[in-house]
Amino acid sequence: MTDQKPSIGRAVHYVGAGGACTAATVTEVDEQGSLVGLFVTGPSAIHLLPLAEGGAMADHDEKQSGTWHWPERV
């Protein structure tokens, strides 16, 4: 699914500290479509990652901390 472009309202996974994936919703997208603003929800907190503060870059392969990727198919 890496050829898809993110759009506002889409569900993605955000990789937090320690490599744990957390549900997130795209709130804004840059012109290139890989840097996004996110509303991240987790078991112990919720937070925003706005583009104005750096947002989150796509990383569909290595899934490094601080990046987003499409949810895995199960």
Side-chain angles (χ1 to χ4, degrees):
M1 283 204 288
T2 58
D3 58 343
Q4 289 186 330
K5 293 186 179 185
S7 59
I8 295 171
R10 294 289 306 268
V12 297
H13 283 176
Y14 174 73
V15 183
C21 288
T22 305
T25 303
V26 176
T27 59
E28 50 189 334
V29 182
D30 75 346
E31 293 177 6
Q32 290 76 35
S34 62
L35 187 65
V36 300
L38 296 173
F39 176 71
V40 183
T41 57
S44 60
I46 60 172
H47 61 278
L48 295 173
L49 295 171
L51 283 179
E53 295 179 13
M57 183 65 79
D59 183 2
H60 303 289
D61 298 320
E62 295 181 30
K63 301 176 182 163
Q64 296 181 9
S65 179
T67 63
W68 72 271
H69 61 274
W70 297 113
E72 295 82 2
R73 291 194 177 265
V74 291

